[in-house]
Amino acid sequence: MRDEKCIFCKIANGEIPSNTIFEDEEFRAILDLAPATKGHALILPKNHFENLFELPEEIAAKAMVLAKRLACEMKDRLDCDGFNIMQNNGEIAGQTVFHFHMHLIPRYKDDGQTIEWDKREAGPEELESVRKQITGC
Ligand code: 5GP
Ligand code: ZN
């Protein structure tokens, strides 16, 4: 399950060289070309899934286990002070490469990065209405 036009398919399957930090039958983890911080890495499934919505649950579960494992190793080896795991789906959400991937971003005191959003007010009625919309009951 590859997309011939997808750069992450080529990287994940070794057709384009990358700074690989982990590889098994189903995944490759690489250093991001434009790192937010030292050690910023990406977990790529070797098969092509455009985003989280297309990702089979089994691969999603394995990706999360791998993210935890790599985050623990990177925390020890890079001596970072914190860690963000990010995953963007859709252009509006910041996705620029349409092959599912997880960002592993080690955080350091004074690294100068911010991963934030504007916090808006929502009253109890709005929250209840959204809860109903999501759950259907
Ligand atoms: P997105 O914005 O889709 O969540 O993340 C895409 C990420 O892929 C970006 O952080 C970008 O720097 C990284 N990236 C894009 N093209 C390449 C590439 O060819 N090699 C590597 N290693 N990273 C890439
Ligand atoms: Zn792909």
Side-chain angles (χ1 to χ4, degrees):
M1 288 206 298
R2 291 209 213 158
D3 178 334
E4 292 308 318
K5 288 169 280 173
C6 172
I7 186 153
F8 278 6
C9 279
K10 293 190 172 84
I11 292 173
N13 291 283
E15 288 163 32
I16 293 179
S18 61
N19 295 103
T20 295
I21 60 167
F22 173 87
E23 184 183 6
D24 69 6
E25 276 192 5
E26 287 170 300
F27 296 96
R28 184 187 294 267
I30 62 169
L31 294 183
D32 196 297
L33 263 191
T37 63
K38 184 175 115 184
H40 181 172
L42 304 169
I43 292 177
L44 316 176
K46 289 189 174 177
N47 283 327
H48 182 86
F49 307 103
E50 187 170 322
N51 53 37
L52 184 70
F53 308 114
E54 290 195 354
L55 194 69
E57 284 190 358
E58 188 197 338
I59 304 289
K62 287 180 180 171
M64 192 64 216
V65 171
L66 179 57
K68 187 247 177 337
R69 189 172 135 199
L70 290 176
C72 288
E73 284 178 15
M74 289 162 78
K75 185 176 183 312
D76 284 349
R77 301 220 168 121
L78 296 171
D79 198 27
C80 56
D81 304 302
F83 216 96
N84 290 116
I85 293 183
M86 286 190 59
Q87 201 278 306
N88 301 324
N89 299 283
E91 203 174 340
I92 192 67
Q95 187 175 10
T96 58
V97 180
F98 295 89
H99 173 125
F100 173 90
H101 52 280
M102 292 172 86
H103 292 262
L104 305 179
I105 308 179
R107 299 302 302 274
Y108 307 88
K109 286 187 187 90
D110 306 320
D111 65 22
Q113 291 287 8
T114 51
I115 298 174
E116 286 180 2
W117 50 84
D118 288 338
K119 292 183 174 57
R120 300 188 178 154
E121 298 273 325
E125 281 170 21
E126 185 183 341
L127 294 176
E128 173 60 3
S129 151
V130 175
R131 188 196 65 74
K132 276 193 182 140
Q133 196 177 350
I134 294 169
T135 63
C137 56

